[in-house]
Amino acid sequence: MTVISKIESIKRGHGSPERPLAGELWAADSLPDFPAHHEEGNYDPTYEKVDYARYYDRDYAKQEHERIWLKSWVQACREEDLPAIGDRLPLQVGPVSFFLVRTGADSFKAFYNSCIHRGTMLCMKHESGDAIRCPFHAWEFKLDGSLQYVPSHWDFKMVTPKNGALREVKLGRWGGFLFINADPEAPPLDDVLGVIPKHFAAFDLANRYTAGHFRKTVKANWKLTQEAFMESYHVVGTHSAAIPFSGDTQSQYDIYESGEAHIGRQLTPGGHPSMHAAPEVTPAESILGAAQFLRDMHHPDAELPELDLSQPVRPQVAAWFRGLESARLGRPCTLPDGIMLDSPLYFMFPQTSVWLSEALPFAYSFLPHESDPELSYMEVRILKHWPEDEARPEPAERIDVAADEVVFDKAPVFGFLGMVFDQDFENLPKVQGGVRSADPARHYAQLGDYQEFVIKRFHELLDEKMAG
Ligand code: FES
Ligand SMILES: [Fe+2]
């Protein structure tokens, strides 16, 4: 990949010989012939100060709707959410609703959720049927959006098949996800995915099912919510119990720029003590903690691995986890250690994040509230392979977690990670209140040189797009 701009003087993480940086761990991994392992970012963002007004200002939110939300590829749902031909699902993007339809065994379409007659919304929830019928005056549309029936057609001679069809928006597919883009001039989805398809090829997201799913309403702007998941710098402050098991300071941050594609990545070693952890925490203790987590989360009946402490412990736990996954799936799991143990999280502008991690096989989607810039939604899915000889499992139902509810109670399938999400969500209303309360004479966030790379690039891109 061509290097666009890298700054020599930046210190890229803080590690030690005993607690190496993520990149050093990945270089030493078994099965290292994996593009994500050796392809680093090619651009260093320099944005430093984020004006707080963009987190609450209604004019900013209005412009953001026009310039970002109606012009970007927005993750809508998974193909498995629409299993049968005729299935439909609405997607609310700020004030505008769309809906997606499965039109065939392997085809989908997306439309503005607005009747051609007098605007009634045509899809309010997951529903199915051969025709899309408006509840108001019963105009009917075929699944491909064409107009099928108008009661008293003698009164609507001006309505033709051409001007009476539902208004379509672009739809793109990747890895089992459906994306929409309301901009007819938008580049194809493939052009904005950048390194993601290559890095995720062997991870095979298309052949995963939703094993857990929640949507949380957050009392914070969608950007603040998303930014809480764009760095590991907050681990020491917010998830301090993770410090012995999560190499936050040794994380690698990458920005991959190519044409229309803007991809960010944070790569945090798992089962690896942080530089913030007490000096006596050993790599063996740390990796055993990770093994316990992997067992509880993925293989509750498994025995913990017996480690040979005279040898490096990380590959032993990765091999143990690969063995459990191979047995569960009925085929060999051949992903490298870093994918089995660490937390590589990829971000695609403006609202999609996907983990390239068998330990944390999650996907995130962030959306603004219908009308209030100080509220947002975050959707989280667990995406898992299923055993080779079994039919694709039904996707888990989405659990809606209200602003004052906690994930740990409402979505037990997330286990103790529900609590970790709750720690993040507990911060966010405080951040929202604080950005509003800052002295007008010092009204900005101060981003660090390296660990907030992904946030820095996010705001550079926002500025570019907002400037039109
Ligand atoms: S508004 Fe849809 S048929 Fe009248
Ligand atoms: Fe967090």
Side-chain angles (χ1 to χ4, degrees):
M1 198 180 302
T2 340
V3 173
I4 296 175
S5 160
K6 297 277 265 185
I7 303 162
E8 284 301 317
S9 59
I10 289 179
K11 178 174 161 71
R12 292 166 201 269
H14 177 49
S16 69
E18 299 73 39
R19 297 179 181 179
L21 298 176
E24 293 163 351
L25 284 171
W26 276 38
D29 267 358
S30 62
L31 311 171
D33 187 18
F34 200 79
H37 268 61
H38 46 76
E39 282 192 5
E40 290 182 5
N42 60 352
Y43 173 75
D44 291 345
T46 52
Y47 207 91
E48 235 184 74
K49 296 179 166 64
V50 185
D51 179 2
Y52 286 148
R54 65 182 54 191
Y55 297 118
Y56 57 80
D57 184 80
R58 284 179 183 267
D59 287 337
Y60 189 91
K62 191 164 170 286
Q63 286 196 28
E64 202 176 63
H65 177 68
E66 283 157 20
R67 295 184 182 175
I68 310 287
W69 292 105
L70 296 184
K71 290 198 179 297
S72 304
W73 282 102
V74 175
Q75 183 199 137
C77 61
R78 298 266 303 164
E79 294 181 7
E80 62 186 326
D81 297 338
L82 300 167
I85 297 171
D87 279 1
R88 308 187 271 278
L89 204 60
L91 175 74
Q92 188 75 35
V93 181
V96 174
S97 177
F98 302 91
F99 71 100
L100 294 93
V101 188
R102 184 185 279 265
T103 54
D106 193 32
S107 56
F108 299 86
K109 278 186 183 288
F111 303 101
Y112 283 97
N113 198 353
S114 178
C115 180
I116 293 300
H117 177 217
R118 275 163 58 190
T120 307
M121 287 168 81
L122 297 167
C123 177
M124 302 300 290
K125 59 178 175 24
H126 186 234
E127 58 191 20
S128 202
D130 317 337
I132 302 154
R133 187 172 188 268
C134 180
F136 200 171
H137 312 92
W139 285 32
E140 251 177 44
F141 305 86
K142 290 188 192 158
L143 297 181
D144 67 0
S146 56
L147 183 60
Q148 166 159 283
Y149 174 66
V150 176
S152 303
H153 188 237
W154 53 263
D155 205 25
F156 286 92
K157 289 283 186 317
M158 72 301 276
V159 177
T160 64
K162 193 158 188 276
N163 67 22
L166 293 179
R167 304 296 299 176
E168 195 173 341
V169 294
K170 288 188 163 201
L171 182 136
R173 298 164 66 181
W174 171 76
F177 292 99
L178 297 176
F179 293 80
I180 65 163
N181 194 321
D183 178 7
E185 308 297 321
L189 176 65
D190 286 354
D191 289 7
V192 305
L193 287 167
V195 294
I196 287 185
K198 183 158 67 146
H199 286 199
F200 280 76
F203 198 66
D204 192 17
L205 273 165
N207 287 304
R208 288 173 184 255
Y209 75 102
T210 300
H213 188 183
F214 72 79
R215 184 179 83 153
K216 168 76 181 171
T217 303
V218 186
K219 286 187 180 164
N221 181 268
W222 70 276
K223 298 184 290 300
L224 287 178
T225 303
Q226 177 160 262
E227 288 162 23
F229 298 88
M230 284 175 155
E231 39 82 359
S232 294
Y233 178 51
H234 72 286
V235 171
V236 66
T238 299
H239 314 294
S240 55
I243 283 303
F245 315 105
S246 176
D248 54 350
T249 64
Q250 298 98 310
S251 298
Q252 178 173 315
Y253 295 87
D254 294 286
I255 305 295
Y256 301 93
E257 288 293 314
S258 57
E260 302 279 352
H262 313 291
I263 306 300
R265 175 173 82 166
Q266 66 180 87
L267 165 48
T268 298
H272 188 65
S274 159
M275 292 298 283
H276 291 300
E280 49 282 8
V281 177
T282 65
E285 264 173 81
S286 184
I287 198 83
L288 263 179
Q292 263 166 27
F293 159 75
L294 294 171
R295 180 194 60 185
D296 296 350
M297 177 83 186
H298 301 286
H299 296 279
D301 301 325
E303 300 279 328
L304 286 173
E306 298 222 354
L307 299 184
D308 174 356
L309 297 182
S310 67
Q311 299 296 320
V313 282
R314 174 178 159 96
Q316 296 178 55
V317 171
W320 163 79
F321 186 28
R322 268 195 296 271
L324 291 173
E325 280 295 285
S326 303
R328 178 177 81 83
L329 299 174
R331 59 178 168 76
C333 168
T334 55
L335 295 169
D337 303 355
I339 309 299
M340 300 309 290
L341 302 175
D342 299 334
S343 309
L345 172 59
Y346 286 68
F347 165 71
M348 178 186 125
F349 186 84
Q351 54 80 257
T352 294
S353 291
V354 203
W355 294 76
L356 180 58
S357 164
E358 212 55 83
L360 299 161
F362 290 168
Y364 300 158
S365 151
F366 300 86
L367 286 167
H369 182 262
E370 292 81 333
S371 56
D372 186 347
E374 299 191 68
L375 291 173
S376 59
Y377 304 105
M378 176 181 184
E379 259 190 67
V380 180
R381 294 180 190 246
I382 305 174
L383 295 171
K384 294 180 84 158
H385 288 300
W386 63 91
E388 185 112 298
D389 52 353
E390 290 177 16
R392 172 187 271 276
E394 296 271 307
E397 285 263 330
R398 189 183 85 187
I399 297 166
D400 288 339
V401 185
D404 54 355
E405 291 175 330
V406 292
V407 178
F408 186 68
D409 291 341
K410 292 259 340 226
V413 63
F414 283 82
F416 97 95
L417 285 176
M419 226 172 329
V420 178
F421 282 112
D422 290 327
Q423 290 169 338
D424 294 309
F425 294 140
E426 219 179 294
N427 282 341
L428 282 159
K430 299 174 191 163
V431 184
Q432 185 67 42
V435 298
R436 262 187 168 285
S437 309
D439 179 350
R442 203 281 188 193
H443 209 69
Y444 58 84
Q446 173 65 61
L447 299 175
D449 277 340
Y450 181 60
Q451 295 176 93
E452 286 159 326
F453 252 23
V454 184
I455 300 176
K456 289 161 82 118
R457 183 62 188 143
F458 177 49
H459 286 281
E460 286 180 359
L461 289 165
L462 276 170
D463 278 7
E464 278 171 32
K465 314 257 170 197
M466 291 291 277

